[in-house]
Amino acid sequence: MCRNEKKSQCIENRENVHFNRWVEFSMSVKKETGSSSLSTNNLVSVDDCHPSSKNAGTWNLTKSHFFAVLVFLSTFSFCMVVHYSRREILEDTKLRLDNYHDEESINLDILKQRVQFTRTKRRLPQVIIIGVRKGGTRALLEFLNVHPMVQKSSVEVHFFDNDAKHSLGLEWYRRQMPFSFPEQITIEKSPSYFITDKVPERIHEMNSSIKLLLIVRDPVTRLISDYSQLAANKAKKGKILPSFKELVLNRDGQVNVNYRAVKISMYSIYLKKWLKVFSRHQILVVNGDQLIRDPFIELQQIEDFLGLKHRIKRENFYYNKTKGFFCVQNNTLNKCLNESKGRKHPEISPRLLSRLRRFYVPYNKEFYRAVGRSFGWPEGY
């Protein structure tokens, strides 16, 4: 073989172009005459000198087949990835639409959190609903989500009021947000932000120009709703919560300000802390009682505050007589809040109601002055 026995001749032939041409001519003469004066044993061909050229013809024949197989395998692999990714989504019990009930959070919200379109990415929120607990934060978020320029976080992240989560950093917080287009506004809500001391400074460090929404309602009504939720949660665990009166009043008949639900309704003491960090024009106070009666009016004011065009229409809301409050709808959504909203409140004696209303009067007036707006909450007798 040329590779081993005649290596020196191969080297010589590569350097002699004229000899290569002579070999080609001699081979053509051999084919025509059937004989040759050359000894085939001594003949060193160009192909022998270039072993790779022996398979050149075969390679030319199979090259197209190779690329065809490569394209097929690439296409097949892509299809398999898409297939199993789709099956994983459909088999996820949190995403299956047949598990959806009106009383539960829409599963499409979870799917929306996972889907990314071109030009979208997860962004830190430009707007945060900071509270107040049992003031209508969930309804407010769902109603705002009707607007095409709004993307909501479907869960309460509690990034700023939870030290463990806050220690994970802003990048972790950003990854909890939904995908959004550059023109859209991302909104997050965690009601306990309003009453947590560290939160105003932490939010300000993230974005000093952020806009904040605070939704409040009649402080006594909010207190009763808070108690009702706690009682319902206890009942699910087979436990019984003390009566409303036992919790809101001390033995001497004074209002128990140490009871957390009572204190949350003292809005003015918490608002002071926020106004030390943020300017008044960065906080919009939403009337939660008005949102229950006629959400469209409040939503128009919020659109103006957020710099959004008026895209939310009165037709987007309809009153559900069974549930007793407004639900929201558009071309792709028909959503009522779950069963924890609008639950029946315990009966409270008129005397106790009046006592509580009188207690909140000074805090309410201070709150009205701070926000520049009166909500006309009852003052008792």
Side-chain angles (χ1 to χ4, degrees):
M1 292 297 292
C2 176
R3 297 178 188 173
N4 301 320
E5 299 176 2
K6 301 177 181 180
K7 184 176 181 179
S8 60
Q9 290 180 337
C10 288
I11 296 173
E12 181 180 355
N13 286 341
R14 282 198 296 267
E15 297 174 349
N16 193 335
V17 177
H18 297 288
F19 181 77
N20 289 339
R21 293 177 179 175
W22 179 79
V23 171
E24 292 174 1
F25 173 78
S26 300
M27 293 298 291
S28 64
V29 172
K30 179 181 179 180
K31 290 179 181 179
E32 294 175 0
T33 62
S35 65
S36 174
S37 58
L38 295 174
S39 172
T40 57
N41 293 329
N42 296 326
L43 180 62
V44 180
S45 70
V46 177
D47 288 345
D48 286 334
C49 297
H50 299 278
S52 61
S53 64
K54 290 183 177 181
N55 299 322
T58 304
W59 168 247
N60 289 333
L61 291 174
T62 61
K63 181 167 61 175
S64 60
H65 294 81
F66 173 77
F67 282 111
V69 172
L70 182 62
V71 171
F72 170 77
L73 291 176
S74 300
T75 304
F76 178 77
S77 299
F78 174 77
C79 292
M80 292 300 292
V81 169
V82 172
H83 170 73
Y84 282 104
S85 297
R86 180 175 178 270
R87 191 176 75 173
E88 179 181 355
I89 291 177
L90 293 177
E91 291 180 351
D92 190 333
T93 56
K94 292 183 179 180
L95 299 178
R96 289 180 58 183
L97 297 182
D98 56 2
N99 285 339
Y100 168 70
H101 301 286
D102 286 343
E103 295 81 8
E104 297 176 351
S105 178
I106 290 181
N107 291 318
L108 289 178
D109 288 342
I110 302 174
L111 182 60
K112 193 176 181 181
Q113 293 270 102
R114 299 185 182 184
V115 175
Q116 180 177 13
F117 297 96
T118 305
R119 293 179 62 242
T120 66
K121 67 177 185 179
R122 300 185 190 274
R123 295 174 170 82
L124 291 171
Q126 300 97 320
V127 180
I128 297 180
I129 300 175
I130 58 175
V132 61
R133 172 183 165 87
K134 304 310 297 178
T137 58
R138 173 56 61 181
L140 176 59
L141 185 66
E142 297 297 341
F143 292 167
L144 279 173
N145 196 49
V146 174
H147 200 291
M149 300 308 293
V150 169
Q151 287 286 7
K152 66 166 186 174
S153 172
S154 297
V155 297
E156 295 179 4
V157 182
H158 290 283
F159 175 70
F160 296 102
D161 63 334
N162 184 303
D163 291 341
K165 291 183 178 180
H166 190 260
S167 66
L168 298 175
L170 287 176
E171 179 58 23
W172 178 88
Y173 181 48
R174 184 187 66 82
R175 292 199 300 267
Q176 312 313 306
M177 296 300 112
F179 290 103
S180 64
F181 289 96
E183 304 82 8
Q184 291 182 310
I185 292 176
T186 300
I187 299 182
E188 187 245 318
K189 77 116 178 160
S190 293
S192 57
Y193 286 169
F194 182 59
I195 63 171
T196 306
D197 293 340
K198 298 178 181 179
V199 172
E201 289 81 5
R202 286 178 172 179
I203 293 180
H204 190 271
E205 288 176 1
M206 178 192 72
N207 183 357
S208 60
S209 62
I210 197 168
K211 292 186 176 181
L212 307 170
L213 296 175
L214 172 65
I215 180 169
V216 295
R217 60 191 301 197
D218 177 349
V220 176
T221 304
R222 195 220 65 82
L223 169 59
I224 298 172
S225 180
D226 200 331
Y227 171 84
S228 299
Q229 177 171 298
L230 292 173
N233 292 339
K234 287 283 187 180
K236 290 179 181 179
K237 299 176 182 179
K239 300 179 181 180
I240 299 176
L241 193 68
S243 70
F244 179 77
K245 184 177 180 179
E246 289 178 297
L247 290 176
V248 301
L249 294 182
N250 293 320
R251 292 182 178 181
D252 60 2
Q254 298 298 310
V255 175
N256 180 13
V257 295
N258 293 320
Y259 179 42
R260 187 168 180 266
V262 168
K263 195 171 183 179
I264 291 175
S265 288
M266 299 160 66
Y267 306 139
S268 62
I269 64 175
Y270 299 106
L271 183 63
K272 291 177 183 178
K273 299 176 183 179
W274 285 87
L275 292 178
K276 289 180 180 179
V277 179
F278 293 97
S279 62
R280 176 64 190 86
H281 73 271
Q282 288 180 259
I283 305 175
L284 178 67
V285 180
V286 181
N287 188 335
D289 297 310
Q290 179 65 36
L291 192 74
I292 294 174
R293 293 191 296 268
D294 187 355
F296 177 66
I297 295 176
E298 290 297 309
L299 268 295
Q300 281 194 314
Q301 296 180 16
I302 298 173
E303 285 176 317
D304 291 335
F305 174 71
L306 299 181
L308 296 173
K309 293 182 179 180
H310 290 289
R311 300 289 295 276
I312 300 177
K313 308 298 182 184
R314 187 173 289 278
E315 304 83 66
N316 291 130
F317 306 98
Y318 67 95
Y319 188 77
N320 187 309
K321 294 181 179 180
T322 302
K323 292 181 174 292
F325 49 76
F326 279 91
C327 300
V328 64
Q329 63 182 354
N330 59 18
N331 293 333
T332 61
L333 176 70
N334 189 320
K335 177 70 179 291
C336 281
L337 301 180
N338 60 35
E339 61 183 359
S340 67
K341 312 301 179 182
R343 62 166 58 89
K344 186 178 180 180
H345 289 176
E347 292 186 8
I348 311 297
S349 69
R351 183 176 179 179
L352 178 55
L353 285 175
S354 181
R355 176 72 185 89
L356 291 170
R357 295 193 190 286
R358 291 197 305 272
F359 168 79
Y360 283 115
V361 167
Y363 299 101
N364 293 345
K365 289 183 177 180
E366 187 176 21
F367 184 74
Y368 296 164
R369 289 192 296 268
V371 302
R373 177 183 182 183
S374 173
F375 294 91
W377 293 323
E379 299 185 358
Y381 54 86

